[in-house]
Each structure stands twice: as C-alpha cells, then as structure tokens.
Amino acid sequence: MSVGEELLAARRVVVKVGSSSVSGENASQIPTLVSSLARLHAAGAEVILVSSGAIATGVPFLRLEERPEDLATQQAAAAVGQNILVNRYQRALGSHEIIAGQVLLTAHDMENPTHRGNARRAIERLLQLGILPIINENDTVATHEIRFGDNDRLAALVARLVEADRLVLLSDVDALYTAPPTMVGATRIAHVPYGDALEGIEIGEAQSGWGTGGAATKVEAARLAADAGVAVLLTETRLLAPCLKELTTGRVLMPCPHNCRKVD
C-alpha cells in the first residue's frame, strides 16, 4: 500500500504545518492544504491540524518587519495572528462544509495529568461531533522557560494523546536529507526504519527566520510518535496533495510493531 493510500485509509491523522508554509506570501497555500485535509476527512479519517504561524501572521498587523525578540511583543503578535490564522482556515474549510474548533495548549497542559485528560476529552468530543480541531501552542501565555519549543514536538504529543495512527509533518523542505539540502552532496532519505539512529546524518535547524523547528525537531518528534506506534510522514506542504493522488511517495519514518503502542 502506498503512502497516500495509507493516509486515506487511516482512522485518525494528525497533520502539523510550519509557520513558513502558512504565513506571509505562503498564506495562499492554506486553501490547498485545507483541500487535502478535507479529502482525508471525506475518506473517513478523523483529522487534527497542528498549525504554527500565529506570531508570523500577526507581525505585519503590528506594523513590524521581523519576528520580535521580546516576549511581550511575541505574545501580542500571537494574540492578533491566531485570530486571523484560524479565520483563514475557517474560510477555506467552509467551502468543504467543515467547521474548525480552536484548541490552544501549553507545555504545562500536557505535563499535568488533569489538564492533559481535559485536553484529550475536548479533542475527542470535537472529533465525535465532526469538528476539525486546529491546535497551536498558546503563545500568548507561554513563557520562554515553559513551552514546547516547537510545534513538531507538540504534534507528536498530540498524536500520542489521541492515539493517532498517522502523523504528517509538513514544512518548506520536501524530505529528510543526509545533510542540509542546500549542501552539495545532500541526498534524500526515502525511508527511516524504526530505531534507526541516523548515524552520519547531519541534521540542520530552521532557516526561515519564523519557525523554531527544523529537521532536528522533526526527527525528534518522529521518534517520539513512532515510540507510541504512530507512522510518520515528513514532506513539503505543497506535496501533500500530490502524495494523496499518488504522484509522490513522501518520506516515512515507520512505527514500531503495533504491540508496543503506548497510551499516555
């Protein structure tokens, strides 16, 4: 079975998209991304979107030219940008007759058993009602000391929380490479078996200036998800639609055997 067929046959899919893919000029990618989510939804999958981009979306509306460095301005940008970002998603989802539900989480929520249980129940109920949850870190109240660090990790934790069987990590890079893709000699890695230590692989950090992740955080998130039995696809945001149409195979980090699934 191909990657696209596996995604379309999935019971529950968590899709994470990075800031650089849905903000600035790339905000125009949102309708295409949403069409892919709608296709998964129509195929019977319960779909959860973990979307970065609140700060990057809010910055232009604060008349700033670059990502602010101080926490208070980051929080202000997130407060403005989260509203606008979810509105853009809802407008796109509306054409597919899908309603979004916003869920904002902090690292403390995922560490505290009571909060984590509340989050799980809320997300489960949204899915039961046919709502597509859109999850992001609550940047307006998060602090530098207590936060996920990047939404790749958040997406992996959400996938574990709701016992998803697929996690899709989308960014502006089309695959995992043996070195940063701009380096001469870097080659794509088509498949990463469970437990592969990726020895000799030079993993880079985010280069867009907006996101806080990069290949390193995606590999860490993929391992975190795979440890709970979740299959992981790493690919570029614009390649998700072709992947579902079988025009590209994507890049996969396979999960461990099903009998090792962990429930948090």
Side-chain angles (χ1 to χ4, degrees), residues 6 18 26 40 52 62 86 103 118 125-126 139 154 167 180 183 189-190 192 201 205 209 214 218-219 231 249 255:
E6 289 182 351
N26 286 335
L40 290 169
S52 302
L62 300 182
V86 171
V103 180
N118 287 338
R125 187 58 179 144
L126 286 169
D139 290 311
L154 171 59
L167 170 62
M183 290 182 61
I189 300 175
V192 181
I201 304 302
E205 303 293 339
K218 287 170 179 56
V219 169
T249 59

Side-chain angles (χ1 to χ4, degrees), residues 6-257:
E6 289 182 351
L7 283 175
L8 290 169
R11 172 189 61 90
R12 183 170 288 177
V13 182
V14 175
V15 178
K16 182 267 177 179
V17 64
S19 295
S20 62
S21 295
V22 294
S23 61
E25 295 181 356
N26 286 335
S28 60
Q29 291 191 127
I30 288 178
T32 302
L33 169 61
V34 164
S35 292
S36 294
L37 302 182
R39 185 172 183 189
L40 290 169
H41 189 274
E46 293 178 326
V47 182
I48 298 168
L49 177 64
V50 177
S51 177
S52 302
I55 293 176
T57 298
V59 160
F61 293 90
L62 300 182
R63 296 181 175 83
L64 301 175
E65 295 183 355
E66 58 186 20
R67 180 186 175 94
E69 295 184 1
D70 66 290
L71 180 60
T73 308
Q74 289 177 7
Q75 292 171 324
V80 173
Q82 186 65 32
N83 169 58
I84 294 167
L85 183 61
V86 171
N87 185 267
R88 289 172 177 171
Y89 278 124
Q90 184 55 69
R91 286 204 307 269
L93 287 165
S95 64
H96 301 280
E97 299 184 346
I98 298 174
I99 301 298
Q102 178 177 257
V103 180
L104 298 177
L105 299 172
T106 65
H108 178 68
D109 292 327
M110 298 299 278
E111 293 168 357
N112 181 288
T114 300
H115 290 198
R116 187 168 64 246
N118 287 338
R120 179 192 290 117
R121 284 189 292 273
I123 295 169
E124 292 279 1
R125 187 58 179 144
L126 286 169
L127 294 172
Q128 291 170 1
L129 294 169
I131 305 300
L132 193 153
I134 298 179
I135 300 176
N136 195 2
E137 181 164 13
N138 193 345
D139 290 311
T140 302
V141 300
T143 67
H144 290 309
E145 294 77 18
I146 307 174
R147 62 185 310 144
F148 294 106
D150 62 85
N151 273 355
D152 295 317
R153 178 174 175 79
L154 171 59
L157 291 173
V158 168
R160 292 171 64 109
L161 181 71
V162 302
E163 297 182 49
D165 46 6
R166 294 291 182 272
L167 170 62
V168 181
L169 298 174
L170 302 175
S171 68
D172 52 5
V173 179
D174 66 339
L176 183 64
Y177 283 78
T178 56
T182 55
M183 290 182 61
V184 176
T187 59
R188 290 184 179 87
I189 300 175
H191 172 74
V192 181
Y194 176 73
D196 191 329
L198 294 174
E199 293 182 2
I201 304 302
E202 184 177 345
I203 299 175
E205 303 293 339
Q207 300 296 320
S208 70
W210 291 107
T212 58
T217 64
K218 287 170 179 56
V219 169
E220 291 172 4
R223 286 174 173 153
L224 182 62
D227 282 344
V230 183
V232 184
L233 168 67
L234 291 80
T235 192
E236 189 175 351
T237 302
R238 66 181 181 84
L239 294 181
L240 180 58
C243 179
L244 294 176
K245 296 177 181 177
E246 309 308 328
L247 299 178
T248 178
T249 59
R251 303 292 179 264
V252 183
L253 190 152
M254 293 299 293
C256 57

